[in-house]
Amino acid sequence: MNLVDRVVLVTGGARRIGRAIVERLADSGCRVAVHYQTSRDEAQALVEQLRAAGREADALPADLADPAACGGLVEAVLRRFGRLDVLVNNASAFAPMTLEDFSVAVWDRMLRVNATAPCVLAHAARNALRAAGGRIVNLHDAATLRPWPDHVAYMVSKGALDTLTRVLARALAPEVNVVGIAVGVAAWPEHYDESLRERLVARIPLRRAGSPADIAAAVHYVLRDGDYLTGTIIPVDGGRHVV
Ligand SMILES: NC(=O)c1ccc[n+]([C@@H]2O[C@H](COP(=O)([O-])OP(=O)(O)OC[C@H]3O[C@@H](n4cnc5c(N)ncnc54)[C@H](OP(=O)(O)O)[C@@H]3O)[C@@H](O)[C@H]2O)c1
C-alpha cells in the first residue's frame, strides 16, 4: 500500500508503542488521528510536533471501554479527515488478576477495552475501510501462546483478540487486510523492577528487550509491503515464541 496521504487512526497513540507507530507512519506521509483517553497533554504535544514537521495530525479523545464512544471516535475521524484507510488497534488495558482474586469488574474492563473495542471500531469503520481498500493492524500479546496465570482477564482478552484478527480477516475480505503484530517485550510496564526485567530478557533468544521502534517498524512493514497478508499474526518478540 502506498502510504502517502493515507488516513490512519492509532488508538492509544499518545505514549509508548502507540506514539512510535504514530511517528513512523506520519514520517511515511500518513495523515494521523492520534487517539487518547487520559494522555491529553502528550497527545497534543505530539500533534504539535508532527505539524511543525509539516505533517497532518489531530488528537481525538475517547474512552474505549464505552462502545458508543468507539463509534463516536470513528465518526470524529471521518468528519475531521474525510476518510479512513487504516485502523491500528493499539490501546490496551493491562492489570494483574489471579483466579483467587477474580473480579468481574477487572474482567469486564479487560474484555471491553482489549476485545470489544477493536471489534466495535472495525464495525464502525468497515464501510470507510472497504471503500479505501484499507487495513486493520491489531496489537497482540505474544504471551497468549503461554498465558500468564496471574493475568487471567488480560490474557483472555488478548486471546479473544487473536481470534478477532482471524475472524475480521474473513469478514472484511477481499477489500480489507487484517493483520496482527504479537508483541513480546517492547516497553516495560513501569512497575517491573530490574531483576524481573533481567529474568524476562534471559528467556529471549535475541537477549534483549525490543523497543517501541521495533514494533512501529513491523506495523510499517505490514502496511507498506504486506499486500498479500491477512489473518496473520506476526510475533515480534526476539524469538521468545520458539523457546
Ligand atoms: N509494552 C509491551 O512490551 C507489550 C507487550 C505485549 C503486548 N503489548 C501490546 O502492545 C500495545 C501497546 O503496548 P503499550 O505497553 O504501549 O500499551 P499501554 O501503555 O499499556 O497502553 C496504551 C494506551 O492505551 C490507552 N488506553 C487504556 N485504556 C483505555 C481506555 N479505556 N480507553 C481508551 N484508551 C485506553 C491509554 O491511553 P491514555 O494514555 O491516553 O489513557 C494508553 O496510553 C498494547 O495493545 C499491548 O497489549 C505491549
Side-chain angles (χ1 to χ4, degrees):
M1 169 190 262
N2 180 351
L3 292 177
V4 175
D5 289 337
R6 295 287 188 173
V7 174
V8 180
L9 167 60
V10 181
T11 65
R15 301 173 62 240
R16 290 163 57 87
I17 294 171
R19 179 188 177 106
I21 295 169
V22 165
E23 290 180 319
R24 179 76 192 237
L25 296 182
D27 280 351
S28 305
C30 293
R31 306 160 67 202
V32 189
V34 181
H35 157 265
Y36 66 94
Q37 183 194 22
T38 59
S39 300
R40 192 181 67 160
D41 292 349
E42 289 95 332
Q44 296 290 3
L46 177 56
V47 164
E48 292 309 321
Q49 172 197 312
L50 296 174
R51 288 180 181 165
R55 305 299 178 200
E56 189 178 346
D58 217 339
L60 300 168
D63 177 1
L64 301 183
D66 173 4
C70 296
L73 175 61
V74 171
E75 283 168 21
V77 172
L78 293 173
R79 264 198 314 276
R80 166 65 179 78
F81 292 90
R83 58 184 292 142
L84 178 58
D85 298 276
V86 177
L87 166 62
V88 180
N89 284 307
N90 166 79
S92 169
F94 181 69
M97 189 187 88
T98 64
L99 198 57
E100 304 309 312
D101 303 333
F102 185 86
S103 147
V104 173
V106 173
W107 176 272
D108 280 350
R109 188 162 60 85
M110 293 299 128
L111 268 289
R112 274 176 178 259
V113 177
N114 297 345
T116 308
C119 191
V120 176
L121 289 166
H123 169 75
R126 67 195 186 288
N127 291 332
L129 292 173
R130 282 189 176 122
R135 303 275 190 273
I136 295 176
V137 181
N138 290 330
L139 274 287
H140 296 252
D141 195 316
T144 58
L145 296 173
R146 289 182 200 77
W148 308 334
D150 55 349
H151 285 70
V152 172
Y154 170 77
M155 282 294 148
V156 171
S157 69
K158 285 298 202 178
L161 185 66
D162 294 348
T163 301
L164 183 65
T165 290
R166 298 187 183 99
V167 169
L168 289 177
R170 296 194 68 186
L172 292 170
E175 296 93 348
V176 180
N177 301 37
V178 184
V179 174
I181 301 295
V183 183
V185 176
W188 292 109
E190 277 140 22
H191 61 283
Y192 281 22
D193 64 24
E194 206 46 49
S195 77
L196 177 56
R197 294 179 187 202
E198 281 172 15
R199 269 188 285 131
L200 293 174
V201 166
R203 296 181 201 152
I204 301 171
L206 293 185
R207 291 290 185 271
R208 68 170 179 87
S211 67
D214 289 320
I215 305 307
V219 172
H220 179 258
Y221 159 73
V222 159
L223 293 176
R224 196 193 59 182
D225 298 320
D227 289 354
Y228 202 54
L229 294 177
T230 199
T232 309
I233 301 174
I234 303 171
V236 181
D237 64 352
R240 176 71 182 92
H241 67 285
V242 294
V243 177

